[in-house]
Amino acid sequence: MRILHTSDWHIGRTFHGVDLLADQRSVLDALAALVADHAVDVVVVPGDIYDRAIPSADAVRVCNRGFEKIRAAGAVIVATSGNHDSPARLGAGSSFSAAGGLHLFTTVSDVAEPVIVEDAHGSVAFYGIPYLEPETTRAELDVPNARSHADVLRAAMSRIRGDVARRRSDGSSVRSVVLAHAFVVGGESTGSERSIAVGGVETVPASEFSGVDYVALGHLHSPQTIDDRIRYSGSPLPYSFGERSHRKAAWMIDLDATGNIDVTRMELPLVRGLSVLTGSLDELCTAAEFEEHVSNYVSAVLTDPVRPVDAMRRLQDRFPHAVHLEWQPPVRSGDAGYREKVVGRSDLEVMTSFLSDVRSDPTASETTLLERAARSAAAEPETVTTDEPRWERTA
């Protein structure tokens, strides 16, 4: 059986305020093309289908279109909810969608009730573990003392291993695939993931997944191999500038008759590159060396000694997809720390120095205004207003 492992679509996510739906539509088309070109039987998506619990109507349309294209390309789809998804909303109509080949695992009660897909060698059982928050799932998993993600995942995997053993008890060679949305020890965060450490330790050991043939993980956004049978596919698009050096991919798993796997990394197209550029505003807007970044999403670090006016508009004249900038003026030699700068100086000197650092030296008229403000502030008595009751010490 041929399986394509992708995850963390985050449909509806924005990138520094920029709508990514067109980019997401494009990369879902690429996944559907992989399914068609390589005769994929099953696509697994372990969580974070959407970026928010209540996705927009446009996000739902893009997601549904992606599911439809993948299904039309010939693959059954098995997906779970992640920590960004609303299980109730994602799972609405799941019984109906399963009839069309889209199987959604969004509730704890379903973890030991797999989707069975047949091939020439028999049955493959696909188990979906949605994102498990310890506080809200420990009772249903019958582990009332669970405090960590490892505790609740251990209980879910115990149920799954029990079901696998039951299906094999008559001698059947049932193979097993588990989808899970979790932070497994050994994985590396990219910085664009939302922390799942709520009320307990967020990481889980890889040993909790023993006893199954392949574990398709979601949550971390870069392709990673925990061990040969436990992998993250990562997100299909970069969602932070920290991911600009990543090459996004999906895993193609060929599962043989005995449960052995052969894994191929399938590179996904780069829809739009990410660039972090450093220089003065004039340099960024005119220098030929930056021309190759014009079509990328751009984060600019401006090194002008004086903060430029209307910098983003000027940047976007050259880089239409500039989405972020920060100003880092050059550090002058001999600059001292703030405490050393202000000790023994008058209020007027401190204010004048501040203006010089963030803008330019104040004019004569501005200096007069600063002097007036300093005198006025010094003449005002300090008052403290509080609604707290007064307490008196008594012997």
Side-chain angles (χ1 to χ4, degrees), residues 322-351:
V323 295
H324 175 259
L325 67 82
E326 57 184 285
W327 179 51
Q328 292 184 1
V331 177
R332 293 171 295 192
S333 61
D335 276 1
Y338 181 76
R339 182 185 296 274
E340 289 74 19
K341 284 183 177 182
V342 301
V343 64
R345 304 177 72 184
S346 68
D347 291 343
L348 178 60
E349 290 172 328
V350 172
M351 290 188 290

PDB file of all heavy atoms in Angstrom, residues 322-351:
ATOM      1  N   ALA A 322       6.786  42.661   0.699  1.00  0.00           N
ATOM      2  CA  ALA A 322       7.417  43.012   1.974  1.00  0.00           C
ATOM      3  C   ALA A 322       6.336  43.028   3.055  1.00  0.00           C
ATOM      4  O   ALA A 322       5.295  43.670   2.899  1.00  0.00           O
ATOM      5  CB  ALA A 322       8.096  44.366   1.878  1.00  0.00           C
ATOM      6  N   VAL A 323       6.571  42.315   4.150  1.00  0.00           N
ATOM      7  CA  VAL A 323       5.534  42.168   5.175  1.00  0.00           C
ATOM      8  C   VAL A 323       6.009  42.569   6.566  1.00  0.00           C
ATOM      9  O   VAL A 323       5.200  42.658   7.486  1.00  0.00           O
ATOM     10  CB  VAL A 323       5.013  40.706   5.217  1.00  0.00           C
ATOM     11  CG1 VAL A 323       4.310  40.340   3.925  1.00  0.00           C
ATOM     12  CG2 VAL A 323       6.139  39.717   5.520  1.00  0.00           C
ATOM     13  N   HIS A 324       7.306  42.809   6.727  1.00  0.00           N
ATOM     14  CA  HIS A 324       7.811  43.079   8.073  1.00  0.00           C
ATOM     15  C   HIS A 324       9.087  43.897   7.966  1.00  0.00           C
ATOM     16  O   HIS A 324       9.892  43.689   7.039  1.00  0.00           O
ATOM     17  CB  HIS A 324       8.107  41.756   8.797  1.00  0.00           C
ATOM     18  CG  HIS A 324       8.731  41.925  10.143  1.00  0.00           C
ATOM     19  ND1 HIS A 324      10.088  41.767  10.368  1.00  0.00           N
ATOM     20  CD2 HIS A 324       8.196  42.255  11.350  1.00  0.00           C
ATOM     21  CE1 HIS A 324      10.350  41.975  11.643  1.00  0.00           C
ATOM     22  NE2 HIS A 324       9.236  42.270  12.258  1.00  0.00           N
ATOM     23  N   LEU A 325       9.255  44.841   8.888  1.00  0.00           N
ATOM     24  CA  LEU A 325      10.527  45.557   8.953  1.00  0.00           C
ATOM     25  C   LEU A 325      10.841  45.924  10.391  1.00  0.00           C
ATOM     26  O   LEU A 325       9.951  46.036  11.235  1.00  0.00           O
ATOM     27  CB  LEU A 325      10.526  46.786   8.047  1.00  0.00           C
ATOM     28  CG  LEU A 325       9.614  47.978   8.355  1.00  0.00           C
ATOM     29  CD1 LEU A 325      10.234  48.901   9.403  1.00  0.00           C
ATOM     30  CD2 LEU A 325       9.364  48.766   7.081  1.00  0.00           C
ATOM     31  N   GLU A 326      12.108  46.085  10.653  1.00  0.00           N
ATOM     32  CA  GLU A 326      12.564  46.585  11.947  1.00  0.00           C
ATOM     33  C   GLU A 326      13.765  47.497  11.712  1.00  0.00           C
ATOM     34  O   GLU A 326      14.455  47.381  10.696  1.00  0.00           O
ATOM     35  CB  GLU A 326      12.933  45.443  12.887  1.00  0.00           C
ATOM     36  CG  GLU A 326      13.991  44.490  12.372  1.00  0.00           C
ATOM     37  CD  GLU A 326      14.228  43.339  13.322  1.00  0.00           C
ATOM     38  OE1 GLU A 326      14.883  43.585  14.375  1.00  0.00           O
ATOM     39  OE2 GLU A 326      13.773  42.227  13.037  1.00  0.00           O
ATOM     40  N   TRP A 327      13.963  48.398  12.644  1.00  0.00           N
ATOM     41  CA  TRP A 327      15.048  49.369  12.529  1.00  0.00           C
ATOM     42  C   TRP A 327      16.126  49.050  13.538  1.00  0.00           C
ATOM     43  O   TRP A 327      15.865  48.964  14.734  1.00  0.00           O
ATOM     44  CB  TRP A 327      14.499  50.784  12.751  1.00  0.00           C
ATOM     45  CG  TRP A 327      15.523  51.866  12.693  1.00  0.00           C
ATOM     46  CD1 TRP A 327      16.450  52.075  11.717  1.00  0.00           C
ATOM     47  CD2 TRP A 327      15.735  52.897  13.667  1.00  0.00           C
ATOM     48  NE1 TRP A 327      17.229  53.171  12.000  1.00  0.00           N
ATOM     49  CE2 TRP A 327      16.809  53.702  13.200  1.00  0.00           C
ATOM     50  CE3 TRP A 327      15.115  53.224  14.865  1.00  0.00           C
ATOM     51  CZ2 TRP A 327      17.272  54.805  13.899  1.00  0.00           C
ATOM     52  CZ3 TRP A 327      15.578  54.328  15.571  1.00  0.00           C
ATOM     53  CH2 TRP A 327      16.640  55.104  15.089  1.00  0.00           C
ATOM     54  N   GLN A 328      17.343  48.833  13.048  1.00  0.00           N
ATOM     55  CA  GLN A 328      18.494  48.557  13.909  1.00  0.00           C
ATOM     56  C   GLN A 328      19.618  49.511  13.522  1.00  0.00           C
ATOM     57  O   GLN A 328      20.474  49.185  12.694  1.00  0.00           O
ATOM     58  CB  GLN A 328      18.955  47.105  13.768  1.00  0.00           C
ATOM     59  CG  GLN A 328      17.978  46.084  14.305  1.00  0.00           C
ATOM     60  CD  GLN A 328      18.513  44.667  14.222  1.00  0.00           C
ATOM     61  OE1 GLN A 328      19.633  44.423  13.784  1.00  0.00           O
ATOM     62  NE2 GLN A 328      17.707  43.709  14.643  1.00  0.00           N
ATOM     63  N   PRO A 329      19.620  50.732  14.077  1.00  0.00           N
ATOM     64  CA  PRO A 329      20.675  51.684  13.727  1.00  0.00           C
ATOM     65  C   PRO A 329      22.033  51.172  14.171  1.00  0.00           C
ATOM     66  O   PRO A 329      22.127  50.389  15.122  1.00  0.00           O
ATOM     67  CB  PRO A 329      20.276  52.942  14.501  1.00  0.00           C
ATOM     68  CG  PRO A 329      19.456  52.440  15.649  1.00  0.00           C
ATOM     69  CD  PRO A 329      18.710  51.249  15.119  1.00  0.00           C
ATOM     70  N   PRO A 330      23.077  51.555  13.469  1.00  0.00           N
ATOM     71  CA  PRO A 330      24.415  51.083  13.850  1.00  0.00           C
ATOM     72  C   PRO A 330      24.782  51.554  15.253  1.00  0.00           C
ATOM     73  O   PRO A 330      24.439  52.664  15.669  1.00  0.00           O
ATOM     74  CB  PRO A 330      25.329  51.713  12.796  1.00  0.00           C
ATOM     75  CG  PRO A 330      24.549  52.859  12.237  1.00  0.00           C
ATOM     76  CD  PRO A 330      23.109  52.467  12.308  1.00  0.00           C
ATOM     77  N   VAL A 331      25.447  50.685  15.987  1.00  0.00           N
ATOM     78  CA  VAL A 331      25.906  51.025  17.338  1.00  0.00           C
ATOM     79  C   VAL A 331      27.180  51.836  17.213  1.00  0.00           C
ATOM     80  O   VAL A 331      28.146  51.411  16.576  1.00  0.00           O
ATOM     81  CB  VAL A 331      26.161  49.752  18.171  1.00  0.00           C
ATOM     82  CG1 VAL A 331      26.708  50.124  19.545  1.00  0.00           C
ATOM     83  CG2 VAL A 331      24.885  48.941  18.292  1.00  0.00           C
ATOM     84  N   ARG A 332      27.165  53.019  17.793  1.00  0.00           N
ATOM     85  CA  ARG A 332      28.341  53.869  17.714  1.00  0.00           C
ATOM     86  C   ARG A 332      29.390  53.426  18.721  1.00  0.00           C
ATOM     87  O   ARG A 332      29.063  53.038  19.841  1.00  0.00           O
ATOM     88  CB  ARG A 332      27.943  55.327  17.965  1.00  0.00           C
ATOM     89  CG  ARG A 332      27.065  55.897  16.851  1.00  0.00           C
ATOM     90  CD  ARG A 332      26.518  57.252  17.223  1.00  0.00           C
ATOM     91  NE  ARG A 332      25.615  57.158  18.366  1.00  0.00           N
ATOM     92  CZ  ARG A 332      24.824  58.147  18.757  1.00  0.00           C
ATOM     93  NH1 ARG A 332      24.842  59.300  18.111  1.00  0.00           N
ATOM     94  NH2 ARG A 332      24.026  57.993  19.789  1.00  0.00           N
ATOM     95  N   SER A 333      30.644  53.476  18.323  1.00  0.00           N
ATOM     96  CA  SER A 333      31.722  53.045  19.216  1.00  0.00           C
ATOM     97  C   SER A 333      31.725  53.904  20.472  1.00  0.00           C
ATOM     98  O   SER A 333      31.529  55.113  20.417  1.00  0.00           O
ATOM     99  CB  SER A 333      33.075  53.161  18.501  1.00  0.00           C
ATOM    100  OG  SER A 333      33.319  54.499  18.129  1.00  0.00           O
ATOM    101  N   GLY A 334      31.935  53.271  21.585  1.00  0.00           N
ATOM    102  CA  GLY A 334      31.977  54.003  22.843  1.00  0.00           C
ATOM    103  C   GLY A 334      30.622  54.188  23.473  1.00  0.00           C
ATOM    104  O   GLY A 334      30.529  54.798  24.542  1.00  0.00           O
ATOM    105  N   ASP A 335      29.538  53.688  22.825  1.00  0.00           N
ATOM    106  CA  ASP A 335      28.216  53.835  23.426  1.00  0.00           C
ATOM    107  C   ASP A 335      28.175  53.083  24.743  1.00  0.00           C
ATOM    108  O   ASP A 335      28.589  51.932  24.837  1.00  0.00           O
ATOM    109  CB  ASP A 335      27.139  53.285  22.489  1.00  0.00           C
ATOM    110  CG  ASP A 335      26.720  54.313  21.449  1.00  0.00           C
ATOM    111  OD1 ASP A 335      27.283  55.423  21.469  1.00  0.00           O
ATOM    112  OD2 ASP A 335      25.838  53.984  20.625  1.00  0.00           O
ATOM    113  N   ALA A 336      27.672  53.718  25.761  1.00  0.00           N
ATOM    114  CA  ALA A 336      27.561  53.092  27.079  1.00  0.00           C
ATOM    115  C   ALA A 336      26.142  52.589  27.276  1.00  0.00           C
ATOM    116  O   ALA A 336      25.243  52.858  26.492  1.00  0.00           O
ATOM    117  CB  ALA A 336      27.920  54.106  28.159  1.00  0.00           C
ATOM    118  N   GLY A 337      25.927  51.830  28.363  1.00  0.00           N
ATOM    119  CA  GLY A 337      24.590  51.381  28.699  1.00  0.00           C
ATOM    120  C   GLY A 337      23.740  52.544  29.195  1.00  0.00           C
ATOM    121  O   GLY A 337      24.243  53.639  29.481  1.00  0.00           O
ATOM    122  N   TYR A 338      22.432  52.297  29.334  1.00  0.00           N
ATOM    123  CA  TYR A 338      21.516  53.378  29.694  1.00  0.00           C
ATOM    124  C   TYR A 338      21.864  53.981  31.050  1.00  0.00           C
ATOM    125  O   TYR A 338      21.868  55.203  31.221  1.00  0.00           O
ATOM    126  CB  TYR A 338      20.077  52.850  29.694  1.00  0.00           C
ATOM    127  CG  TYR A 338      19.064  53.920  30.040  1.00  0.00           C
ATOM    128  CD1 TYR A 338      18.712  54.885  29.097  1.00  0.00           C
ATOM    129  CD2 TYR A 338      18.472  53.969  31.301  1.00  0.00           C
ATOM    130  CE1 TYR A 338      17.791  55.872  29.410  1.00  0.00           C
ATOM    131  CE2 TYR A 338      17.559  54.951  31.622  1.00  0.00           C
ATOM    132  CZ  TYR A 338      17.202  55.900  30.668  1.00  0.00           C
ATOM    133  OH  TYR A 338      16.313  56.880  30.979  1.00  0.00           O
ATOM    134  N   ARG A 339      22.177  53.143  32.013  1.00  0.00           N
ATOM    135  CA  ARG A 339      22.484  53.654  33.359  1.00  0.00           C
ATOM    136  C   ARG A 339      23.686  54.607  33.313  1.00  0.00           C
ATOM    137  O   ARG A 339      23.671  55.675  33.917  1.00  0.00           O
ATOM    138  CB  ARG A 339      22.775  52.485  34.299  1.00  0.00           C
ATOM    139  CG  ARG A 339      23.059  52.916  35.742  1.00  0.00           C
ATOM    140  CD  ARG A 339      23.456  51.722  36.577  1.00  0.00           C
ATOM    141  NE  ARG A 339      22.372  50.773  36.685  1.00  0.00           N
ATOM    142  CZ  ARG A 339      21.405  50.822  37.588  1.00  0.00           C
ATOM    143  NH1 ARG A 339      21.389  51.807  38.471  1.00  0.00           N
ATOM    144  NH2 ARG A 339      20.477  49.900  37.622  1.00  0.00           N
ATOM    145  N   GLU A 340      24.722  54.198  32.572  1.00  0.00           N
ATOM    146  CA  GLU A 340      25.905  55.038  32.481  1.00  0.00           C
ATOM    147  C   GLU A 340      25.613  56.339  31.729  1.00  0.00           C
ATOM    148  O   GLU A 340      26.217  57.382  31.984  1.00  0.00           O
ATOM    149  CB  GLU A 340      27.044  54.284  31.792  1.00  0.00           C
ATOM    150  CG  GLU A 340      27.646  53.153  32.626  1.00  0.00           C
ATOM    151  CD  GLU A 340      26.728  51.943  32.702  1.00  0.00           C
ATOM    152  OE1 GLU A 340      25.823  51.843  31.845  1.00  0.00           O
ATOM    153  OE2 GLU A 340      26.896  51.125  33.617  1.00  0.00           O
ATOM    154  N   LYS A 341      24.671  56.254  30.775  1.00  0.00           N
ATOM    155  CA  LYS A 341      24.357  57.435  29.984  1.00  0.00           C
ATOM    156  C   LYS A 341      23.648  58.518  30.801  1.00  0.00           C
ATOM    157  O   LYS A 341      23.858  59.716  30.583  1.00  0.00           O
ATOM    158  CB  LYS A 341      23.461  57.060  28.801  1.00  0.00           C
ATOM    159  CG  LYS A 341      24.176  56.378  27.645  1.00  0.00           C
ATOM    160  CD  LYS A 341      23.182  56.136  26.516  1.00  0.00           C
ATOM    161  CE  LYS A 341      23.856  55.526  25.313  1.00  0.00           C
ATOM    162  NZ  LYS A 341      22.904  55.323  24.201  1.00  0.00           N
ATOM    163  N   VAL A 342      22.790  58.121  31.721  1.00  0.00           N
ATOM    164  CA  VAL A 342      21.933  59.106  32.389  1.00  0.00           C
ATOM    165  C   VAL A 342      22.438  59.542  33.763  1.00  0.00           C
ATOM    166  O   VAL A 342      21.968  60.539  34.297  1.00  0.00           O
ATOM    167  CB  VAL A 342      20.480  58.570  32.521  1.00  0.00           C
ATOM    168  CG1 VAL A 342      19.900  58.257  31.162  1.00  0.00           C
ATOM    169  CG2 VAL A 342      20.434  57.339  33.430  1.00  0.00           C
ATOM    170  N   VAL A 343      23.382  58.806  34.314  1.00  0.00           N
ATOM    171  CA  VAL A 343      23.819  59.155  35.667  1.00  0.00           C
ATOM    172  C   VAL A 343      24.430  60.556  35.662  1.00  0.00           C
ATOM    173  O   VAL A 343      25.266  60.908  34.833  1.00  0.00           O
ATOM    174  CB  VAL A 343      24.821  58.112  36.214  1.00  0.00           C
ATOM    175  CG1 VAL A 343      26.106  58.099  35.403  1.00  0.00           C
ATOM    176  CG2 VAL A 343      25.113  58.377  37.694  1.00  0.00           C
ATOM    177  N   GLY A 344      23.990  61.400  36.616  1.00  0.00           N
ATOM    178  CA  GLY A 344      24.524  62.736  36.762  1.00  0.00           C
ATOM    179  C   GLY A 344      24.060  63.733  35.716  1.00  0.00           C
ATOM    180  O   GLY A 344      24.546  64.871  35.682  1.00  0.00           O
ATOM    181  N   ARG A 345      23.109  63.342  34.860  1.00  0.00           N
ATOM    182  CA  ARG A 345      22.657  64.252  33.805  1.00  0.00           C
ATOM    183  C   ARG A 345      21.301  64.842  34.170  1.00  0.00           C
ATOM    184  O   ARG A 345      20.485  64.208  34.829  1.00  0.00           O
ATOM    185  CB  ARG A 345      22.568  63.513  32.465  1.00  0.00           C
ATOM    186  CG  ARG A 345      23.878  62.840  32.066  1.00  0.00           C
ATOM    187  CD  ARG A 345      23.754  62.052  30.784  1.00  0.00           C
ATOM    188  NE  ARG A 345      23.630  62.939  29.631  1.00  0.00           N
ATOM    189  CZ  ARG A 345      23.435  62.494  28.397  1.00  0.00           C
ATOM    190  NH1 ARG A 345      23.318  61.183  28.173  1.00  0.00           N
ATOM    191  NH2 ARG A 345      23.343  63.327  27.386  1.00  0.00           N
ATOM    192  N   SER A 346      21.039  66.036  33.674  1.00  0.00           N
ATOM    193  CA  SER A 346      19.756  66.689  33.938  1.00  0.00           C
ATOM    194  C   SER A 346      18.664  66.083  33.072  1.00  0.00           C
ATOM    195  O   SER A 346      18.928  65.377  32.078  1.00  0.00           O
ATOM    196  CB  SER A 346      19.866  68.187  33.625  1.00  0.00           C
ATOM    197  OG  SER A 346      20.026  68.386  32.218  1.00  0.00           O
ATOM    198  N   ASP A 347      17.407  66.372  33.452  1.00  0.00           N
ATOM    199  CA  ASP A 347      16.282  65.887  32.656  1.00  0.00           C
ATOM    200  C   ASP A 347      16.370  66.373  31.215  1.00  0.00           C
ATOM    201  O   ASP A 347      16.085  65.637  30.276  1.00  0.00           O
ATOM    202  CB  ASP A 347      14.961  66.350  33.276  1.00  0.00           C
ATOM    203  CG  ASP A 347      14.677  65.665  34.608  1.00  0.00           C
ATOM    204  OD1 ASP A 347      15.316  64.628  34.883  1.00  0.00           O
ATOM    205  OD2 ASP A 347      13.825  66.168  35.359  1.00  0.00           O
ATOM    206  N   LEU A 348      16.747  67.630  31.049  1.00  0.00           N
ATOM    207  CA  LEU A 348      16.840  68.182  29.700  1.00  0.00           C
ATOM    208  C   LEU A 348      17.896  67.446  28.882  1.00  0.00           C
ATOM    209  O   LEU A 348      17.679  67.137  27.696  1.00  0.00           O
ATOM    210  CB  LEU A 348      17.167  69.674  29.762  1.00  0.00           C
ATOM    211  CG  LEU A 348      17.335  70.373  28.390  1.00  0.00           C
ATOM    212  CD1 LEU A 348      16.045  70.262  27.587  1.00  0.00           C
ATOM    213  CD2 LEU A 348      17.764  71.813  28.575  1.00  0.00           C
ATOM    214  N   GLU A 349      19.025  67.147  29.491  1.00  0.00           N
ATOM    215  CA  GLU A 349      20.077  66.414  28.771  1.00  0.00           C
ATOM    216  C   GLU A 349      19.617  65.019  28.374  1.00  0.00           C
ATOM    217  O   GLU A 349      19.913  64.543  27.270  1.00  0.00           O
ATOM    218  CB  GLU A 349      21.324  66.337  29.641  1.00  0.00           C
ATOM    219  CG  GLU A 349      22.042  67.665  29.821  1.00  0.00           C
ATOM    220  CD  GLU A 349      23.164  67.581  30.837  1.00  0.00           C
ATOM    221  OE1 GLU A 349      23.048  66.788  31.801  1.00  0.00           O
ATOM    222  OE2 GLU A 349      24.141  68.310  30.667  1.00  0.00           O
ATOM    223  N   VAL A 350      18.876  64.351  29.268  1.00  0.00           N
ATOM    224  CA  VAL A 350      18.375  63.002  28.958  1.00  0.00           C
ATOM    225  C   VAL A 350      17.395  63.056  27.793  1.00  0.00           C
ATOM    226  O   VAL A 350      17.462  62.255  26.860  1.00  0.00           O
ATOM    227  CB  VAL A 350      17.716  62.370  30.201  1.00  0.00           C
ATOM    228  CG1 VAL A 350      17.016  61.060  29.831  1.00  0.00           C
ATOM    229  CG2 VAL A 350      18.764  62.118  31.282  1.00  0.00           C
ATOM    230  N   MET A 351      16.474  64.033  27.818  1.00  0.00           N
ATOM    231  CA  MET A 351      15.483  64.142  26.736  1.00  0.00           C
ATOM    232  C   MET A 351      16.148  64.504  25.416  1.00  0.00           C
ATOM    233  O   MET A 351      15.798  63.961  24.351  1.00  0.00           O
ATOM    234  CB  MET A 351      14.419  65.181  27.109  1.00  0.00           C
ATOM    235  CG  MET A 351      13.504  64.740  28.236  1.00  0.00           C
ATOM    236  SD  MET A 351      12.108  65.869  28.507  1.00  0.00           S
ATOM    237  CE  MET A 351      12.964  67.293  29.201  1.00  0.00           C
TER     238      MET A 351
END
